[in-house]
Every structure is written in C-alpha cells, then in structure tokens.
Amino acid sequence: GGEHPNPFIHLRQESGYIAIIDSLQFDSKKDCEISLRRNDFELLSKLHGPWVGEQPEGIFFDARKFEQGIYSNAGYWKN
C-alpha cells in the first residue's frame, strides 16, 4: 500500500520539527484542566523554573499514527 514511513525518524526537533505523539479528548475545558493537574502537568507560563523559555519552537507534525500513545494507550494517564 501507500503507507508512508514514520516521519519521526527523519524529522527531529534539532532540525526544527516537533512531533505530536499522543492526544486525549475531554468533554470540557474544565475536565481537561483537572485531568492535566491530576497527571502533574502545568502551563509552562505559570510554572517558574529552569525550563522557562524552553517551550518547543518549530514545525509541528502529527506522528500519532506512528507512535503507541504513551498516555492514551500505554497506561500512564491517571483517570
């Protein structure tokens, strides 16, 4: 078939590319915010530390169909 190879192999952050490797859907923004906090995520802009200014910059591309989904499928997400 016409299946493309995994672009994550060739498109790396050091070359200006950022892979989206997983996603989750929520019923509301509030449900999303609660779940993110439960899983120890914070907005970089609100959390001071050595990572300030380290937000990824570049061309984002969708690599989800090539990755296992560390949160959505691999059991790392706390419900």
Side-chain angles (χ1 to χ4, degrees):
E3 186 68 26
H4 295 285
N6 183 347
F8 191 59
I9 293 169
H10 303 289
L11 303 177
R12 299 278 183 198
Q13 187 169 348
E14 56 269 11
S15 301
Y17 294 94
I18 301 157
I20 298 169
I21 60 169
D22 201 358
S23 64
L24 297 165
Q25 285 191 308
F26 299 92
D27 292 332
S28 69
K29 182 178 178 183
K30 184 172 179 91
D31 288 344
C32 175
E33 290 170 348
I34 291 167
S35 293
L36 287 168
R37 279 194 301 275
R38 183 183 312 116
N39 283 275
D40 300 320
F41 284 93
E42 295 287 340
L43 288 174
L44 287 177
S45 62
K46 293 184 178 181
L47 193 63
H48 299 288
W51 45 83
V52 171
E54 296 297 322
Q55 296 86 338
E57 293 181 6
I59 301 167
F60 288 84
F61 68 95
D62 190 347
R64 290 175 291 183
K65 75 178 189 174
F66 305 105
E67 298 293 324
Q68 74 173 17
I70 191 164
Y71 292 106
S72 59
N73 295 318
Y76 287 97
W77 193 255
K78 300 173 204 166
N79 289 320

